[in-house]
Amino acid sequence: MSLPTKISRRALLAGGATVAASPMLLHPDQGYAQSARPVPADVFRLGVASGDPLPDAVVLWTRLAPDPLTGGGMPARNVPVEWEIAEDDRFTRRRRTGIALARPELGHSVHVDVRGLRPDRVYFYRFRTGGQVSPAGRTRTAPAVSARPRTLRFAFASCQDYQAGFYTAYQHLAAEDVAFVAFLGDYIYEGPRNAAAARQHEGTDEPFTLAQYRNRHAQYKTDPDLQAAHAAFPWIVTFDDHEVDNNWADEIPQDPQSQTPEAFRARRIAAFQAYYEHMPLRRSSLPRRLDMQLYRRFRYGSLASVHVLDTRQYRSDQPATLADAQNPALTMTGPEQEKWLVDGLRRSGSEWNVLANQVMWAQNDRLAGPGQTFDFDNWDGYRAQRRRLLEFFGSGRVDNPVVLTGDRHCTWVSDLRPDFDDVTTPIVGAEITGTSITSGGNANPASFHATYDPIMAESPHWRYIDNQRGYVVCDVSRTEMVSSLRLVDTVWAPTASVRTEARFTVEAGRPGIAEVSVSPAPRSTGRTAEPAFDVRDDQGVVPPTR
Ligand SMILES: [Fe+2]
């Protein structure tokens, strides 16, 4: 990972809140922390996670929360938590051990930045405190920077509205064999409890305070399928809007008429802190007042670089009209992040440049016929910057750019070109917009296709669309990147089956989608006897474009 700002080694060491411990401390026959003061029962109810893998390091996470939905339930004091990481799941070949302090100021979360690991290795880890042992997690380091891996398999996912359904997709994702999971945003939703939904949010209102965001994150983390997916692989996370407020932009809320600038800044600070507390993020992402460093880069040897974007924290407010959307002053990333992205793409030295991105790059008209309707929260609202970046994609200075996207609650596979209305402009890249884990609930493919198939006929850059729930697994090699759409048959029951609905191939050296291969099984046409759960999907209604 290369950070956009320099972090000193001293700061990293001091910030880790960990101290090296003698292996003696963790000898199983001695028991753990016998001298420590007692802690409440069931402190590991939120599971474990790992993230931000480097060739020699990975972040291990847990949060002590015996009473997750009402503040966590921990005493207001520092609690030492022992951690260990081993090469085997029986923890006989331990490689690193230590003690981290779970501090009340950070909700008794624990972030251990373990260093000194071997590249491209599977490791197992767990935590102990007060005689309690966490579930074991499995993680994996990245290959050495100089390595030339022949293949990489990873998954990406987004949009897991707890109220929209069960995390059946994660049951299956947890059983895949992937090096990491990229999560592209909408980890929580800030919406209030909806009694008519498939399952209910805690609380009675949207979260605004740190305590409320903690409870919301903790509720999501209690889900056993989500815990299983975290425990199985390292995650590389970024946020979108619902981790704070629908469609927020920098310091501007969705509804400035009802949230003052001061109130929204306080809300953003609270939301960022709770986000950090619940994610396996490195100390370099610890929020500093209003800001949080989330755009960052990961490298899988010479095969792939993953450029993680933050398209919320620095963006201009959404434009109101199509004319406004052409304003060259509008930015989705802010100038510093744009420079960081362009420099990183140019210098990556990787065969593939994968962008872990939130909102759709490809033009996404939502109206059939001669008129057009756009959601200006997407890159459709930031057209000058999009064109500038896509022309850079086509400049010959970027190797194999592929944008991975969340937000849309649909699968939307597209060729990228600098001007989507001009098919004579060259195709310069590919975008795979993944579906959602739950958001949108169980889909009705028949009505979706009735609406969008006519628009697809007018949008030649769209190569495949679908609105069912699931995730995407990407197989990267020197010659191609194949993305497999994995769909579950329901999110409105605790278990589901999974199938590969389609595969999308990008060939190295040939921008865009080379091939779409759809499963021979007939597409689901929707269910006839579904329960009538209410789904408040933010992808539904878009005001007409002027
Ligand atoms: Fe979403």
Side-chain angles (χ1 to χ4, degrees):
M1 179 180 71
S2 61
L3 294 168
T5 52
K6 263 194 166 172
I7 306 288
S8 74
R9 177 174 161 76
R10 177 184 294 182
L12 278 171
L13 292 172
T18 66
V19 291
S22 152
M24 291 279 291
L25 190 64
L26 291 174
H27 194 284
D29 296 337
Q30 290 183 311
Y32 273 76
Q34 289 180 348
S35 62
R37 292 158 69 185
V39 297
D42 294 331
V43 291
F44 292 113
R45 289 183 64 186
L46 304 188
V48 299
S50 69
D52 283 14
L54 304 178
D56 67 338
V58 70
V59 176
L60 309 182
W61 172 92
T62 192
R63 180 186 165 216
L64 309 182
D67 190 6
L69 304 193
T70 51
M74 289 297 290
R77 59 177 170 82
N78 293 346
V79 176
V81 179
E82 297 172 72
W83 56 269
E84 60 181 323
I85 187 163
E87 291 183 354
D88 64 312
D89 61 0
R90 298 177 63 197
F91 291 87
T92 57
R93 298 198 303 278
R94 273 197 294 268
R95 286 296 166 254
R96 289 283 183 276
T97 62
I99 300 174
L101 280 185
R103 297 186 291 141
E105 308 91 89
L106 288 174
H108 290 97
S109 62
V110 176
H111 299 74
V112 181
D113 190 2
V114 184
R115 299 275 162 169
L117 301 176
R118 296 178 191 177
D120 203 17
R121 286 292 181 105
V122 169
Y123 287 94
F124 299 85
Y125 61 95
R126 62 187 176 186
F127 302 89
R128 297 193 191 209
T129 191
Q132 300 172 48
V133 183
S134 77
R138 178 184 174 278
T139 191
R140 185 167 169 175
T141 51
V145 171
S146 60
R148 295 180 54 82
R150 295 177 61 184
T151 60
L152 166 67
R153 171 178 280 184
F154 68 94
F156 72 95
S158 66
C159 296
Q160 52 183 29
D161 186 345
Y162 186 89
Q163 298 199 115
F166 294 92
Y167 295 154
T168 50
Y170 282 137
Q171 290 165 13
H172 296 285
L173 177 52
E176 304 274 2
D177 178 16
V178 295
F180 65 90
V181 172
F183 191 85
L184 306 181
D186 290 356
Y187 192 96
I188 61 163
Y189 280 69
E190 85 287 17
R193 180 186 189 89
N194 174 6
R199 51 183 184 170
Q200 278 68 48
H201 274 155
E202 55 71 46
T204 55
D205 193 4
E206 292 190 14
F208 292 91
T209 66
L210 175 58
Q212 291 168 331
Y213 278 107
R214 277 179 177 159
N215 290 344
R216 184 60 55 89
H217 271 283
Q219 181 183 33
Y220 279 59
K221 275 285 195 322
T222 58
D223 185 279
D225 298 320
L226 178 59
Q227 287 188 14
H230 273 297
F233 321 106
W235 284 37
I236 295 171
V237 301
T238 187
F239 58 40
D240 191 20
D241 55 337
H242 289 289
E243 286 86 350
V244 181
D245 183 29
N246 184 40
N247 284 2
W248 67 282
D250 195 356
E251 297 185 24
I252 303 164
Q254 175 186 28
D255 44 3
Q257 71 283 0
S258 56
Q259 298 185 66
T260 66
E262 296 74 24
F264 183 70
R265 281 195 288 272
R267 187 181 194 184
R268 173 173 144 168
I269 289 169
F272 279 17
Q273 180 170 338
Y275 184 77
Y276 175 80
E277 288 174 356
H278 290 84
M279 295 297 142
L281 285 166
R282 197 155 268 120
R283 183 90 180 173
S284 47
S285 293
L286 179 69
R288 290 176 179 79
R289 290 198 51 73
L290 199 56
D291 299 311
M292 179 174 191
Q293 184 65 53
L294 212 50
Y295 66 85
R296 60 207 194 281
R297 187 171 288 123
F298 298 89
R299 190 176 155 95
Y300 277 73
S302 62
L303 186 57
S305 285
V306 181
H307 311 262
V308 182
L309 299 191
D310 173 348
T311 57
R312 286 288 158 195
Q313 206 177 158
Y314 316 99
R315 72 153 81 187
S316 315
D317 197 14
Q318 290 88 350
T321 68
L322 189 53
D324 291 347
Q326 314 283 0
N327 180 352
L330 294 187
T331 175
M332 183 68 99
T333 60
E336 282 182 35
Q337 183 179 190
E338 181 173 341
K339 181 176 187 312
W340 167 88
L341 176 62
V342 167
D343 289 348
L345 287 169
R346 189 189 292 137
R347 297 178 191 156
S348 84
S350 298
E351 183 75 25
W352 296 89
N353 283 288
V354 174
L355 277 67
N357 162 70
Q358 291 83 13
V359 294
M360 273 187 73
W361 284 54
Q363 182 162 285
N364 194 229
D365 180 20
R366 302 187 182 191
L367 187 67
Q372 291 178 309
T373 294
F374 300 116
D375 181 351
F376 290 137
D377 186 60
N378 298 340
W379 284 84
D380 275 332
Y382 301 77
R383 291 169 171 249
Q385 189 191 17
R386 177 174 67 184
R387 181 169 191 135
R388 184 164 67 239
L389 287 169
L390 289 176
E391 285 175 346
F392 173 62
F393 278 16
S395 68
R397 291 178 290 170
V398 186
D399 289 328
N400 299 313
V402 179
V403 180
L404 307 180
T405 299
D407 177 64
R408 188 66 178 84
H409 305 176
C410 292
T411 306
W412 226 286
V413 178
S414 303
D415 293 328
L416 297 176
R417 45 178 25 125
D419 183 345
F420 294 97
D421 291 322
D422 181 358
V423 293
T424 66
T425 59
I427 293 171
V428 298
E431 180 177 43
I432 318 280
T433 297
T435 171
S436 64
I437 293 293
T438 53
S439 302
N442 277 354
N444 184 333
S447 73
F448 172 81
H449 284 282
T451 300
Y452 280 103
D453 285 357
I455 308 172
M456 189 166 178
E458 306 163 3
S459 304
H461 59 284
W462 295 358
R463 303 296 303 279
Y464 178 89
I465 58 174
D466 183 85
N467 70 332
Q468 299 168 84
R469 307 282 73 80
Y471 57 93
V472 178
V473 175
C474 301
D475 284 288
V476 186
S477 73
R478 293 270 152 197
T479 56
E480 63 181 17
M481 174 170 165
V482 179
S483 300
S484 299
L485 173 61
R486 304 276 283 158
L487 295 180
V488 290
D489 63 344
T490 182
V491 295
W492 285 347
T495 60
S497 62
V498 71
R499 67 188 187 279
T500 298
E501 181 79 358
R503 287 195 172 88
F504 320 109
T505 302
V506 181
E507 295 175 356
R510 180 183 162 193
I513 304 294
E515 185 183 352
V516 173
S517 117
V518 180
S519 162
R523 175 197 289 158
S524 165
T525 53
R527 294 165 193 77
T528 52
E530 286 188 329
F533 292 121
D534 183 22
V535 174
R536 297 189 183 159
D537 185 16
D538 65 356
Q539 292 298 315
V541 180
V542 176
T545 293
R546 285 161 281 161

